[in-house]
Amino acid sequence: MKKQFDFRKMSFYQIWIRSFCDGNGDGIGDLYGVCDKLEYIKKLGVDGIWFSPIYPSPNADYGYDISDYKSIHPDYGTLDQFKIVLDKAHELGLKVLLDLVINHTSDEHPWFIESCKGGKDNPYSDYYIWRDPRFKGEEKLPPNNWYSQFEGIAWEYNEQREQYYLHVFAKKQPDLNMDNPRVREEVKSIMRFWLDMGVDGFREDVINFISKNPDMPDGWSFVPAINGLPFYKDGPNLHDYLEEFRKVALEYGAVQIGEAPFTTVNTALTYIGGKDRVLDMLIQFDTMFADCFMTEYVYHGFWLRKLKRAFRKWQYGLQGKAWFALYLENHDHPRVVSRYGNLRYWRESGSMLAACYILQRGTPFLYQGQELGMTNIALNSIDKYIDVAAKNAYNSFFLWEPVEKRLKRIHVSTRDSSRTPVQWTDGPNAGFTTGKPWFYVNPNYSFVNAEMEDKDPRSILNFYRRCLALRKSSKTLLKGTYREYFPCSSKVYMYERRYADKAKGLEEGILVVCSFTTQEHSYRMPGGYNYKKGKLILDNYISEEEMKAGETAEAGKLRPYEVQVWKFRKKL
Ligand code: GLC
Ligand code: CA
């Protein structure tokens, strides 16, 4: 067993490689591009990278449908190039996490191709979840009534094998049969392959779905997309399987972050609580649904109180028991400044949102382009979108509405908004490629881009850097407790981090005050706090230089989307 590195002190940057940076001019982001940008990532102040899948994949779900777990997609480079990136990242002091997608493979994976042949002596026969059809007279029916989360029903009939296979996601993503010990051995072998190479851990895709209820009962017929959820989420053997994988990870001191859609605090604690935990952190979804009901596609506009409720639930729920993964964006959600911020106050709200989550208790994750305040795109036809989930939503729900209205639903909900090329400069194709970009570049790159923001002391980019640096330099932010104030306010989100440094005989409180409104707004400090005794240490209206020169904010007043961070100290 090797000691784990201290992920609690770290922060991570997520790369969705296809749109990150193109190094060879074919219009597709790749490992050469990543190599060129490692210093940029380091300079942000993060400590590691999580790569969304970089393996060979037919891209039905852009990498989350893997056809070879032990290789690199030729679009992105080679294994040797990956090793170069890995070594350079390590030299810069950056950890590297890969995406481990084991709930399903691509239907083009050789295991699946073999499995379709069936047969008792075929070692791959039982790698996937196959069931006989149900019959209604002559008519073949799927084994149960589950819907897929991405495409129609969750079963696809295979002529060759004369059986149905289960796909919780797209048709081209057959679910693996984790109850088969051979499949679990494959998973461990994949983990070892990358860990032996020097990878530092994994983000584990939909990990709470990998064990299914073997009876596969019907779900509620009136619930679309997720009616099978109670029978494939947190299945009977999930904990045992995670324990098996945990053993491998711990041999290497690797860190494991599980993505767990629809999970609750209590369930999460069974995986990430205590010393015998089987995962280190969980990616929950509640904080992503402050403007929608259960899925971005059912949009209702942003409600601050709903966001605060989600933060409260997880911060208090895990405090003292487990560690949290903080995030506001990833490749599965639209851009946060378009959702929880305000484009009229793009710079202000984009930077406020950074402090709003990075200074909470947990390990922050940033998604590529988030640090620039990249925004959603709005394409004028569904054919221009590429995401299987967006197309499915468009073609399945709200069909009675006019096309423009349905397209608007896509604009606010699609994952494609997070998948447009990263905006590096105000030059051609936003500096993403010298060729023709594989996907639309957001036209606002003329002012939303890394090169310009790097030079602007008040930019969103520089504010992200300041937040990450502040967090890293502060024991209170790294280790302190979390407490929320004025939970009922629908304009201000306020929380405190507190830490008693016994060695120094000091207690420190850090108060983070975030405005979520376009109006100027006055606020009170909580009982026991006095502005006069506090020091303003971060503010998105004041540059770092100005702050050093002694500029401060008007206590008790917030400008539109201002964030103020105050520090208080007292002797113990
Ligand atoms: C996870 C991934 C998402 C993918 C899905 C199926 O939610 O983050 O991108 O589509 O799993 O693999
Ligand atoms: Ca390329």
Side-chain angles (χ1 to χ4, degrees):
M1 235 174 70
K2 222 176 120 189
K3 196 171 174 295
Q4 275 186 316
F5 57 89
D6 197 351
F7 57 89
R8 294 180 187 82
K9 286 198 179 134
M10 298 186 171
S11 52
F12 290 86
Y13 186 82
Q14 182 193 351
I15 292 182
W16 196 80
I17 195 167
R18 205 169 183 80
S19 287
F20 183 65
C21 180
D22 177 19
N24 64 0
D26 66 356
I28 299 174
D30 52 40
L31 288 166
Y32 313 100
V34 171
C35 212
D36 293 343
K37 296 293 181 194
L38 285 176
E39 281 88 4
Y40 167 86
I41 295 172
K42 176 71 187 174
K43 195 178 162 200
L44 263 176
V46 298
D47 309 279
I49 298 169
W50 145 32
F51 280 100
S52 273
I54 52 180
Y55 322 101
S57 159
N59 281 337
D61 188 21
Y62 288 98
Y64 285 89
D65 48 320
I66 298 171
S67 53
D68 180 355
Y69 284 92
K70 297 183 179 171
S71 181
I72 299 290
H73 195 305
D75 282 352
Y76 308 144
T78 58
L79 265 179
D80 285 337
Q81 183 58 27
F82 176 71
K83 280 187 208 143
I84 292 173
V85 169
L86 184 64
D87 290 345
K88 186 168 167 195
H90 284 161
E91 272 163 36
L92 289 168
L94 296 170
K95 302 284 180 197
V96 173
L97 311 177
L98 292 186
D99 220 306
L100 188 67
V101 187
I102 53 170
N103 179 66
H104 44 263
T105 68
S106 163
D107 66 342
E108 295 179 34
H109 194 292
W111 300 338
F112 188 74
I113 295 171
E114 281 305 308
S115 197
C116 288
K117 296 178 188 157
K120 276 219 171 64
D121 303 326
N122 178 351
Y124 298 99
S125 218
D126 223 12
Y127 265 43
Y128 294 84
I129 301 176
W130 294 99
R131 291 286 186 279
D132 289 329
R134 287 194 283 196
F135 281 96
K136 191 172 154 197
E138 291 284 276
E139 195 193 346
K140 266 202 285 313
L141 294 178
N144 68 25
N145 72 351
W146 296 358
Y147 289 106
S148 137
Q149 292 198 15
F150 281 176
E151 267 186 307
I153 59 163
W155 299 91
E156 187 70 9
Y157 188 70
N158 181 269
E159 297 286 347
Q160 191 180 1
R161 180 152 166 162
E162 298 181 332
Q163 279 189 313
Y164 281 90
Y165 69 85
L166 177 72
H167 63 90
V168 167
F169 294 96
K171 281 181 198 148
K172 285 184 69 65
Q173 293 172 296
D175 282 53
L176 280 164
N177 173 18
M178 209 50 73
D179 296 332
N180 181 345
R182 278 177 191 248
V183 172
R184 302 201 298 279
E185 287 312 311
E186 299 276 10
V187 171
K188 289 182 241 175
S189 143
I190 295 163
M191 291 174 77
R192 288 184 196 285
F193 178 83
W194 296 104
L195 293 170
D196 282 334
M197 200 179 291
V199 161
D200 303 288
F202 300 102
R203 175 268 190 192
E204 306 185 357
D205 193 59
V206 290
I207 201 67
N208 55 341
F209 291 2
I210 63 169
S211 158
K212 273 89 177 168
N213 178 329
D215 301 336
M216 308 231 153
D218 275 341
W220 284 327
S221 53
F222 54 88
V223 176
I226 52 165
N227 67 339
L229 196 69
F231 310 109
Y232 59 71
K233 182 171 82 71
D234 303 307
N237 301 313
L238 179 57
H239 207 277
D240 291 346
Y241 298 163
L242 291 180
E243 240 169 63
E244 272 185 45
F245 305 150
R246 182 70 172 171
K247 281 194 191 118
V248 177
L250 287 185
E251 278 171 38
Y252 296 81
V255 162
Q256 296 171 287
I257 301 136
E259 186 208 24
F262 305 104
T263 200
T264 62
V265 169
N266 282 339
T267 314
L269 283 172
T270 63
Y271 305 118
I272 60 172
K275 280 227 153 38
D276 295 331
R277 62 182 183 271
V278 289
L279 293 166
D280 296 297
M281 292 181 266
L282 272 193
I283 301 175
Q284 49 71 45
F285 278 58
D286 293 316
T287 49
M288 287 297 104
F289 295 155
D291 61 358
C292 59
F293 179 69
M294 305 269 282
T295 148
E296 274 100 346
Y297 200 60
V298 188
Y299 180 77
H300 57 51
F302 175 60
W303 297 344
L304 176 60
R305 287 172 61 174
K306 196 169 173 193
L307 181 65
K308 298 208 298 186
R309 203 187 314 143
F311 285 151
R312 186 179 315 138
K313 170 173 163 186
W314 285 94
Q315 286 291 322
Y316 286 128
L318 300 193
Q319 179 138 271
K321 297 183 187 140
W323 197 248
F324 195 45
L326 301 161
Y327 78 102
L328 285 179
E329 266 190 32
N330 64 33
H331 65 294
D332 287 333
H333 305 281
R335 293 292 186 175
V336 73
V337 60
S338 298
R339 304 180 66 184
Y340 301 173
N342 185 315
L343 295 186
R344 273 194 296 134
Y345 291 91
W346 165 72
R347 194 201 61 77
E348 292 80 1
S349 61
S351 47
M352 178 279 290
L353 285 164
C356 151
Y357 87 103
I358 288 177
L359 306 182
Q360 291 184 25
R361 176 181 174 276
T363 292
F365 286 76
L366 280 65
Y367 178 66
Q368 66 186 36
Q370 178 187 346
E371 78 280 16
L372 306 174
M374 279 179 64
T375 65
N376 287 351
I377 40 155
L379 304 172
N380 59 11
S381 148
I382 189 65
D383 303 328
K384 294 190 173 165
Y385 288 94
I386 47 164
D387 176 28
V388 56
K391 288 185 190 288
N392 179 56
Y394 182 87
N395 292 318
S396 325
F397 307 119
F398 302 103
L399 297 179
W400 58 89
E401 290 182 354
V403 167
E404 302 80 69
K405 202 157 172 212
R406 284 165 60 202
L407 260 182
K408 272 210 177 120
R409 291 187 182 276
I410 299 298
H411 296 165
V412 296
S413 66
T414 180
R415 311 193 292 182
D416 285 336
S417 276
S418 56
R419 300 175 178 190
T420 62
V422 170
Q423 295 161 207
W424 296 105
T425 69
D426 65 356
N429 306 317
F432 163 72
T433 177
T434 53
K436 184 177 177 307
W438 75 280
F439 191 41
Y440 299 97
V441 177
N442 193 316
N444 64 14
Y445 68 89
S446 57
F447 65 98
V448 184
N449 69 67
E451 192 177 59
M452 279 164 74
E453 292 191 37
D454 183 52
K455 294 184 198 124
D456 172 4
R458 277 195 180 70
S459 66
I460 296 179
L461 172 61
N462 277 314
F463 197 73
Y464 266 92
R465 291 173 175 154
R466 287 164 73 190
C467 288
L468 291 165
L470 177 65
R471 173 181 180 275
K472 204 177 234 169
S473 68
S474 161
K475 269 196 186 156
T476 307
L477 292 174
L478 291 175
K479 296 186 169 178
T481 52
Y482 172 93
R483 178 168 175 192
E484 186 191 357
Y485 289 101
F486 306 113
C488 294
S489 167
S490 55
K491 303 219 163 73
V492 175
Y493 169 49
M494 191 191 297
Y495 63 92
E496 163 207 87
R497 304 292 313 282
R498 181 176 287 276
Y499 181 73
D501 196 332
K502 298 216 173 88
K504 288 192 182 147
L506 273 181
E507 187 180 58
E508 188 173 84
I510 291 184
L511 203 60
V512 183
V513 190
C514 307
S515 161
F516 275 82
T517 166
T518 56
Q519 313 291 311
E520 290 217 348
H521 193 69
S522 52
Y523 70 92
R524 276 187 298 123
M525 289 230 166
Y529 279 99
N530 174 352
Y531 308 105
K532 294 200 183 111
K533 298 210 171 127
K535 182 170 183 263
L536 185 76
I537 53 172
L538 188 71
D539 188 312
N540 58 343
Y541 276 69
I542 305 175
S543 73
E544 194 161 17
E545 289 276 290
E546 290 163 344
M547 192 143 250
K548 278 189 193 137
E551 195 170 314
T552 187
E554 195 180 339
K557 273 236 167 68
L558 289 168
R559 288 164 277 190
Y561 292 98
E562 181 169 358
V563 55
Q564 300 177 352
V565 182
W566 297 84
K567 182 161 91 179
F568 298 84
R569 279 192 172 162
K570 67 173 185 219
K571 291 219 168 78
L572 275 177

